[in-house]
Each structure stands twice: as C-alpha cells, then as structure tokens.
Amino acid sequence: MGELTTDPSTVLETFKGLIAAEGLLARREGLQAGDVEDGITDDPTLLRYLEARQMNPKAALKQFQEAAKFQADRHILRLYDLISMEHYEETRKLYPHWTGRRDRRGQPILALDVAHLNASTMTAWRKTRDISRHTEINSPDPIIPDMEQRAAIHFDSLTRFVLPLCSAMRDRPDPTTPITKSIYIVDASALSLKQAWDLRDFARDISWILATCYPETIDRIIVGNAPFYFAKIWAFMKNFVEPMTADKLVITKSADAYATMAEHMEHQDIPSQFGGGFQFTNGMLPDLDEGIRQALRWTSGGKEAFPQGPLKWTEDDNGQRRAIATGSIDGRERSEEIALLSQELPN
C-alpha cells in the first residue's frame, strides 16, 4: 500500500530509475535529429504507464518493457517517417481520429463512424493483418507495413503530436497540467449484429495495442445513436475488449447522445450526427478550433490547416517547436515544415 499512497512525483522518480537501469530511458533508435521525445519517454507518458498499473513502478516497468519491445521489434518510430501517405490515410479512417476540436478540459475529441467499418473495409484490413511481420526498413523495395504497425503509427500520431499540441494550449481550465487523454465519439447508428460479429478480430487487436502501448490515453468513449439491440451487441463485443477500455464506454440512445456530449464539449464541437454544430465526416482532416489556429504560425503557404499524413514535433536549440509533415510520397521521404508553435500562446 505504501506505493499507492506515495507522492506521485516520488513514484515517478522511482519508475524512471527502474527504466533507466534497463536502458529504456535513452533516446530511441528511429528518432531523427531534432525529434522531441513526447509520447515516448517524457514524464506525462511515464505517468500514464504508472496510472495503468495503480502507481506500482514494478508492474508499470513490465508493461513499459513490453511496449518498448513491440515498438523496437516493429520499427514503429522509423516507420512513422517512412509510411506512405496512402497507407497512413487508409489506416486513419479505421480508428477514431482527431476532429481538430477539444472538449471543455482541453482534451482532443476523436471520432469514428462505424458505418465505415463495412465488409469491404474489413476485408482490406485482414489483408494487412496477414502481411509478413519482417518488414525490412532499409530495403530498396516499397515498404508495406502490416496491421499492427499501421495501427501503432496512427496512435503514435495522437501521443507524439496531438496530445503535446493540446498540452501546449493555455486556453483551458488548468493549463499547467499536461493533456494525456482524449475523448472518443463513436457513431453506432449503422451497427448491425452481423457487422459486430465481423469486427471481433478488429476489436481484439486494437484493444491490445491501446492497452499495452498507449495506456490511459482514453478519458471516455461515448457511443452515440446506439440501436435498440446494442445491449446484445455489447454483451458479445466486450469479450474482445480490454476490461479497462470497456469500462470507459458510455452508451447513449439517439435521444440522449447530444445531452451526454454537451456535458463535456461545446455545441460547435459536437458532430452534427448527434445534433451539434460540427460537420464531421469519417476520415476528414482535422478542422482546427480557433485557439489552436492562433497558437500556430503557419509556414506552409498560408494554409491554416494540417495536411494528410503523419505529423511530428521537432525542437531546435532555442526550444522552438516546429510541426513537420513526415511519411513518404511516391517512395520519397517527406520532411515539410507546416507551422511553428507560438512561444507566446493566447490564454
């Protein structure tokens, strides 16, 4: 019980000592010059692992080792810079993706329309599940990441780019506390019993990746417009979802979806499918809120928007952070500066 009642900062230092002793606090292979380590070994990330294991450093170390091994064996950090735009965007549409909006606490709002997870989409997803697990990142041949690699790269974009961006914003109730979680909105209006059955492997695989490599990144999952038979679907589906993730679900009927979401976010940030003022379509690029747009000095030809493909933060010797578009286009690695993060952020 002593570990559970110790000051979090003391527990964090103990945890960092254990990680350092295993050689896991050093800069990771695959990062490029200037890449920040947010979402990898920074304090907010380490605290997420501790939270997932009830602030027990030894238990958190075991999970951190498992995640680090997965990321190293699967070359996730290097593939973040090499994945093709096409593969990245195909993957982004499969999972809850950032809308560009935040809730009242400053957490990013991610959304997904289950209608997109239809039979043809799942067939394509299963093909990526069967790809050889021995990706040669230095091969002259085109790199084709498998399902696990693509999913990890997608969620890396959340932990390495979106969460640090939201943490930097000062226009939130507690700007001194880093943003480490996000709120998910899922439109389940099109979900059928057959579709739920077809999604069982999909649910199992993504649940494992989230729980192991991205613990405690979900604040809650609001399932909106749930059909009347959803209780039967969930009784079956929850067997394929990690218990800690399942506990975060809030299931609402059509009549209750807007009111539930309005407890956490403004009208203009609630998708119109639930009665809000935000025109969301599955797979759309982030439609940034005004606070975030003002916090960035755009250097990409005056367009105040993020492009397709993965984004990452780099930092120079003066502490200036730059949003860099990475990934590859037609086999050529991309490194394009999109915006600078203002060092005098509006409140």
Side-chain angles (χ1 to χ4, degrees), residues 90 94 114-128 194-195 198-199:
E90 286 175 354
L94 289 172
V114 175
H116 178 71
L117 305 181
N118 54 34
S120 62
T121 301
M122 285 298 96
T123 297
W125 174 81
R126 288 189 179 89
K127 289 181 180 179
T128 69
K194 182 182 184 304
Q195 184 184 19
D198 291 340
L199 292 175

Side-chain angles (χ1 to χ4, degrees), residues 125 129 147 200-210:
W125 174 81
R129 200 171 185 242
M147 178 277 297
R200 62 193 185 281
D201 290 337
F202 178 83
R204 181 192 293 114
D205 289 351
I206 189 55
S207 180
W208 181 88
I209 290 173
L210 280 171

Side-chain angles (χ1 to χ4, degrees), residues 235-255:
F236 162 73
M237 288 293 292
K238 69 180 180 181
N239 295 314
F240 302 96
V241 178
E242 290 286 336
M244 292 183 66
T245 302
D247 288 344
K248 297 177 184 292
L249 257 71
V250 180
I251 301 168
T252 66
K253 299 177 181 179
S254 297

Side-chain angles (χ1 to χ4, degrees), residues 30-51:
L31 289 176
Q32 305 301 294
D35 287 359
V36 303
E37 297 186 55
D38 292 6
I40 303 170
T41 55
D42 59 313
D43 285 358
T45 297
L46 300 184
L47 282 168
R48 287 196 286 101
Y49 280 87
L50 282 168
E51 183 182 352

Side-chain angles (χ1 to χ4, degrees), residues 22 34 38 47 79 93 99-100 116 138 157 195 225 234 265 281 338:
E22 297 293 329
D38 292 6
L47 282 168
L79 284 174
K93 296 173 184 178
T99 62
H116 178 71
N138 296 317
S157 71
Q195 184 184 19
N225 296 345
W234 181 235
M265 58 197 76
T281 57
I338 302 301

Side-chain angles (χ1 to χ4, degrees), residues 136-183:
E136 295 294 338
I137 60 174
N138 296 317
S139 170
D141 298 326
I143 294 174
I144 305 178
D146 65 25
M147 178 277 297
E148 287 185 338
Q149 290 169 320
R150 298 181 195 206
I153 291 167
H154 171 75
F155 287 103
D156 258 19
S157 71
L158 173 68
T159 56
R160 292 182 60 188
F161 186 81
V162 178
L163 292 178
L165 173 59
C166 293
S167 293
M169 298 299 102
R170 307 267 70 90
D171 60 342
R172 52 193 178 95
D174 186 4
T176 62
T177 301
I179 298 296
T180 59
K181 300 180 189 293
S182 53
I183 186 166

Side-chain angles (χ1 to χ4, degrees), residues 276-333:
F278 179 56
Q279 297 297 320
F280 170 79
T281 57
N282 197 80
M284 68 181 287
L285 292 173
D287 183 356
L288 302 177
D289 65 43
E290 187 62 27
I292 290 178
R293 280 200 299 271
Q294 290 184 4
L296 296 169
R297 182 153 59 86
W298 300 89
T299 58
S300 54
K303 294 181 62 177
E304 296 187 357
F306 292 141
Q308 291 186 336
L311 301 168
K312 66 179 181 179
W313 292 110
T314 64
E315 188 172 277
D316 61 25
D317 293 338
N318 297 319
Q320 176 65 68
R321 288 207 166 195
R322 291 175 165 81
I324 305 296
T326 185
S328 65
I329 301 175
D330 296 329
R332 296 189 301 274
E333 190 172 344

